[in-house]
Every structure is written in structure tokens, then in C-alpha cells.
Amino acid sequence: MLITTRSGTPPADGPPDGPANTAVVDDCGRPLPAHGLGRRTLLVSVGAAAAAPLAAAPTAAAGSRKPDLVGARKPGERPGRGHYLIKGAALVSVDPLIGNRAVADIEVRDGRIIQVGRHLRVRGAQVIDASRMIAMPGFVETHYHMWSALGRNFVSTGFEYFAAKSATVAAYTPDDFYHSVLLGLVECASAGITTVNNWAHNVRGPEYADAELHAHADGLVRARYSYGHRDGQPATQPIDFADIDRVRATWFGPKSPFDGLVHLGVNLRGPGQLQNFLVEMTEVKKRQLPISVHSGQGPTTAVRAADLERMGFLGPDFLLCHALPFDEADRQAMLRTKAPVSFSVHSELRLGTAGGFHGQLLRMLAAGITVSLSFDASSLAPINMFESMNVAWNLGIPYLGTDTANLPAVVFHQVIEMATINGARALGLDATTGSITPGKRADILLIRADDINIAPIGDLESTLVRSATPANIDTVLIDGRIVKRNREMVSHDVDKVVRDAARAAHAVRTRAGGILTPTSPTPPAF
């Protein structure tokens, strides 16, 4: 069976097909605060031609340009979108009309999935031999505090997440934010996470937001940038909406460097300080921005979905994270309003004083709530969606003699959906990514099926959930760009990213002092 695009209309965050006029601009087209990040010249599409229906587009048109697949590109050189034919892959599409296939071909052109089928013949495409690989959509992560990515190993026995965070929140400079977020983005891409919600809950000033957004411009990963408060900011003080407006105009306007990959949201502290929350929600509604809120890992930090529904705020654009203390009234409120939830499985196990997420996961899935997966922070979880799926699947069984005894067990396809299409729905991107569907943007993973920890494969979904790891990822495409090939990142100079992050982490530890003081005043060399 041949599957072609259902519509010629491009996804809202992707560039249209066809030739585009380009203009060279300096980042966002205006001077930005000089905090040592350097300047990059970016190509930004302007006045692109309207797209013709893909099913009618001649496949030979893209053959005039054969992009380099891998090898000649210098480390860190920005890859282009090409015309590729992924040939002979086993396929887990997460598209109910396409399903799983023992063998399938996928055509990708100019960032878009064109068709999926068997024995495709496509002129002008560069062939990627995937005969020993499993193809699946890129992972979608919905809750990651990326400003602290370089602090993953600041924690120690007796000095865990909250203590390490409190000791360092004010010790970062804008440069450190840039290197931390870029480290997180490159690691995400290498691990097959093609979309991430950067939950920025330590925005210490405009220059810090700019530093994070510079990293997103350089990172090439699809993302939401969820602008938030400064860690330690008085609970009665609203977040800086004037700067949100500046960020929106500067970074997300007609001269945006993101090429449609990044969109703007906010994260709020919730109704614990009700008057401030109402002020913030009024401002958010004026701007029509999507919202993320921590909803509690314990009874003392609970934010109730039922209360948010009564206030008129809950909906598909209101992402709740953790939600461990929720009761049936909260779940029904989420179901009525189609509000999504993000479970950070490792964080829920370590910090879940409400009892972990086992029962809540079973009940939310049984109710039909959109459940997605996330990491919270790299000091709480590995940046490894395979492991998150594995943990969720292993915990997802009813316990005899408890109130979960009659609930259905979690199955493989559910956790794969949680890591892909459900995450896309939670971020409002399900028309763009989350499945291998013609017409969507090409966020695709190729996983080696002949590796020692995977072969011999049987059930494809079981293989992905139980056996695969990021080390098995051969190729990653994000928006049709090959960012990883033959297990090596080709979009970034990884050695430089690591060196810069190590120097930044050393500087943060030095400023924080105390238990974090480095043993040597000299930053480590790599």
C-alpha cells in the first residue's frame, strides 16, 4: 500500500515547499546583548512560494540538488534539508492508518515526509540503506529544565536535586545558560529526542532568556521555549511579561532565526498564590500563549485540575506536570477539557512523596487522558526516552489487592505513543510531528536492529521499549535535516560542546562554593 500526503497544506511551523527567497540577517536582525556568545549569520526564508499539493508534485524536481549525507561536512556545519529515500526499514509509524511494517520505504523531501510504502521508486533522492534498522518517529519530551543541564552531576549523597539547585541558581551567567542549553539540545538530538519543552524556570533577566534562545537557534531541535520566573522570585511578583513581549517580537517575529522549529510558551507557578496567578493568567490569555504548570509530586504541592477547570483555565493548551496527588475529580476535569499531563518517570519515583506515579498512570491511561513523558532535569533522570518508556511499561501493571486491580495493564504501543504522538499533542504539535505520516515534518529515528543488545528482533514495539538504548541510534533526522549519521553527530562539534559545558560547569561550581567547590582551580580539559 502506498500512503501519500492527505493535504498539500504545510504544517504551521514548517517552511512551505518550493523555492524561497533568502535574506542574510544577523541572528534576529538586530543587535543583541553582548554576553560573549558570538554572532552567527543565519539564512531566514522570506516570501516563500505557496506549496503545491505534495501528491501532485513531480518527484524529479528535488533531484537537481543532491545534499551531502555525511562525511564532507565539517563538524558543526549546519546541515541542509535534502531529498532522501529511507529504504527497507522495519517501521513503527505511530500512525494508525500505516501501523507497523516489517519492511517499508520513506521518502523525505525539503523537511517533509512525502510518502511511505514498499518498493518506492523516487528520482533524484539520496538513498539511505535502512535494511538493518527500525524506523520510528522522533521522541517528544514535554518537561525539561534545560538551564541546569550542565549541573547533572552536581548532586551527591545528602546533596540531591533541590539542595544542588538552590546552591547554584544564582551562580549561572548568561554564557553558562547558553552552554547548558546547547549541551542539553545536542544530547537530546543524539538520544533521538527531536522535540523538547524547555521549561525555563530560572529566567534571571532578559540576557538569560536571550542566551537560551541563542542556544535554540544553534541547536536545531524542535522545541517550545516556556518562559518563566526567576528561581527564588517572590511568589507575589508576576513574571516579566514586558520581556516576554520583547522576546516574542525579537525572536519569533518575521526575522526569527528558528525556521519554524521553536515556538513560545510560558510556565507559571500555579494558584498557590491565587491573586498573582490570576494576574498572570490574564496576561497569558491576552497573548494566547500555551501554558505549563507543575501540579505536584506530593500533597503539600498539589495543584488541582478540578480547581483550574472551575476557574475556566484548563484546556488542551494547559500542560500539567507530575499530577501525582490527583483524584477522580481532577482526572474527569482533564478529560472534559482535553488537558494533557507530563510524567517525569524517574523524578516521580525519587521525589514522588504522594506515592509515585504507578496508580495515577494506570488511571489516566484508562480514562483516555493524553499522557506524555519527560525528564524534569538531567540531575534527576538520564536523557534517555527508551529508559523512560521501559520504566513506565514495567511499572504499568495493576496491583492485586489494591484499587488498581481491575485497571488494564500498560502495553508497548501505549508507552511508545506517550513518548511520541502524545508528547506532540501535549505541545500542540501533533499536526507537525509525533508520527511517520505523509505531510508531517520529517522527525525520524533509525535504530540499528543488528546490535548485540537488540538482535534478533521479534515484536518491533517490544524491541523498542525493552531492548533499545540511545547507543543503538544510527541516524536522526530533525525537520528533514540529518543531524546524526552512523552513530555520530554531524550537525554539531560535540567535542567543543562538551569542552564549553565543562568550563561553564567549573565556573558555576566555583561561584557557588561550599560542597561544590572544584578540587582544582583549573577547568577540566577534554
Side-chain angles (χ1 to χ4, degrees):
M1 180 172 67
L2 179 67
I3 307 292
T4 56
T5 182
R6 300 182 187 122
S7 170
T9 305
D13 79 336
D17 287 334
N21 298 319
T22 57
V24 178
V25 300
D26 180 19
D27 287 331
C28 294
R30 55 176 283 181
L32 292 174
H35 45 68
L37 301 183
R39 297 285 191 261
R40 287 180 179 264
T41 300
L42 302 170
L43 289 176
V44 180
S45 295
V46 293
L54 291 172
T59 57
S64 59
R65 179 174 58 90
K66 285 195 174 183
D68 174 37
L69 185 61
V70 68
R73 186 177 296 118
K74 297 177 182 178
E77 185 178 346
R78 190 182 185 96
R81 298 183 184 91
H83 186 193
Y84 306 113
L85 180 62
I86 300 169
K87 195 77 174 170
L91 176 63
V92 175
S93 72
V94 197
D95 183 311
L97 296 181
I98 298 174
N100 300 337
R101 307 277 185 92
V103 183
D105 304 337
I106 307 165
E107 183 189 3
V108 172
R109 187 176 72 234
D110 297 330
R112 190 187 307 281
I113 299 168
I114 304 301
Q115 55 181 335
V116 177
R118 283 295 307 275
H119 308 301
L120 297 183
R121 295 185 178 183
V122 179
R123 293 178 59 192
Q126 188 161 358
V127 175
I128 300 175
D129 180 6
S131 58
R132 293 187 171 191
M133 302 185 199
I134 304 169
M136 70 172 296
F139 294 124
V140 181
E141 196 280 349
T142 54
H143 166 228
Y144 183 7
H145 304 302
M146 302 193 79
W147 66 268
S148 64
L150 59 78
R152 74 178 80 214
N153 295 317
F154 290 175
V155 300
S156 58
T157 300
F159 187 73
E160 294 194 24
Y161 174 69
F162 288 112
K165 181 168 74 77
S166 297
T168 56
V169 287
Y172 286 77
T173 67
D175 275 356
D176 301 327
F177 266 41
Y178 172 83
H179 294 305
S180 189
V181 173
L182 187 61
L183 174 72
L185 291 170
V186 174
E187 184 185 12
C188 278
S190 181
I193 295 115
T194 57
T195 303
V196 63
N197 181 12
N198 180 0
W199 195 305
H201 71 342
N202 189 24
V203 183
R204 308 195 67 78
E207 66 276 19
Y208 287 82
D210 285 339
E212 292 198 74
L213 289 161
H214 265 293
H216 278 289
D218 291 343
L220 303 181
V221 174
R222 196 179 304 282
R224 174 185 291 178
Y225 180 68
S226 292
Y227 191 115
H229 64 290
R230 179 185 74 255
D231 194 291
Q233 182 173 325
T236 55
Q237 180 183 347
I239 59 176
D240 190 347
F241 283 98
D243 196 54
I244 289 174
D245 292 339
R246 179 196 67 84
V247 161
R248 191 178 214 174
T250 302
W251 288 95
F252 297 91
K255 295 182 179 180
S256 172
F258 297 133
D259 202 13
L261 277 180
V262 184
H263 68 277
L264 182 64
V266 295
N267 72 84
L268 304 181
R269 288 160 288 180
Q273 286 287 335
L274 183 58
Q275 190 57 44
N276 185 68
F277 177 67
L278 294 175
V279 168
E280 291 185 335
M281 282 301 304
T282 299
E283 296 299 322
V284 170
K285 290 295 185 182
K286 286 180 187 175
R287 294 162 175 81
Q288 297 183 319
L289 293 171
I291 304 156
S292 302
V293 169
H294 289 113
S295 51
Q297 290 175 293
T300 61
T301 58
V303 170
R304 311 313 297 242
D307 293 339
L308 293 168
E309 184 190 28
R310 280 192 290 272
M311 295 177 196
F313 297 144
L314 209 57
D317 62 347
F318 200 114
L319 174 62
L320 295 159
C321 188
H322 304 311
L324 302 190
F326 279 15
D327 59 19
E328 185 60 20
D330 296 312
R331 289 188 290 274
Q332 289 302 313
M334 295 179 71
L335 195 60
R336 282 190 295 269
T337 60
K338 299 183 179 179
V341 69
S342 176
F343 280 130
S344 301
V345 295
H346 292 78
S347 177
E348 318 305 8
L349 292 172
R350 187 67 188 178
L351 303 181
T353 57
F357 75 107
H358 161 262
Q360 197 64 262
L361 172 64
L362 292 175
R363 294 183 185 96
M364 286 196 172
L365 288 175
I369 292 167
T370 297
V371 178
S372 63
L373 296 177
S374 60
F375 306 132
D376 201 340
S378 57
S379 53
L380 285 166
I383 308 306
N384 182 345
M385 195 64 83
F386 294 108
E387 185 169 319
S388 293
M389 291 193 300
N390 190 309
V391 172
W393 177 77
N394 274 287
L395 279 176
I397 60 167
Y399 289 173
L400 298 177
T402 75
D403 58 2
T404 67
N406 295 320
L407 294 172
V410 177
V411 296
F412 295 126
H413 78 84
Q414 286 179 299
V415 290
I416 293 173
E417 288 175 348
M418 288 159 64
T420 55
I421 190 63
N422 284 10
R425 289 191 185 105
L427 298 181
L429 295 173
D430 50 311
T432 299
T433 190
S435 65
I436 296 181
T437 300
K440 288 191 178 185
R441 304 304 293 175
D443 297 345
I444 299 172
L445 312 183
L446 299 180
I447 297 154
R448 295 298 301 247
D450 55 357
D451 281 350
I452 189 68
N453 63 305
I454 288 184
I457 63 171
D459 182 89
L460 293 176
E461 293 177 344
S462 171
T463 299
L464 293 175
V465 174
R466 294 177 44 264
S467 298
T469 75
N472 303 124
I473 297 175
D474 179 277
T475 301
V476 177
L477 287 85
I478 302 178
D479 209 49
R481 293 187 176 99
I482 293 178
V483 300
K484 185 176 186 177
R485 185 72 175 121
N486 297 326
R487 306 183 203 259
E488 298 290 337
M489 291 296 293
V490 296
S491 58
H492 293 84
D493 184 341
V494 174
D495 290 344
K496 184 178 187 305
V497 171
V498 169
R499 286 195 304 271
D500 291 344
R503 283 194 293 268
H506 186 275
V508 171
R509 291 177 61 192
T510 300
R511 294 187 205 104
I515 192 174
L516 290 170
T517 302
T519 56
S520 169
T522 304
F526 288 88

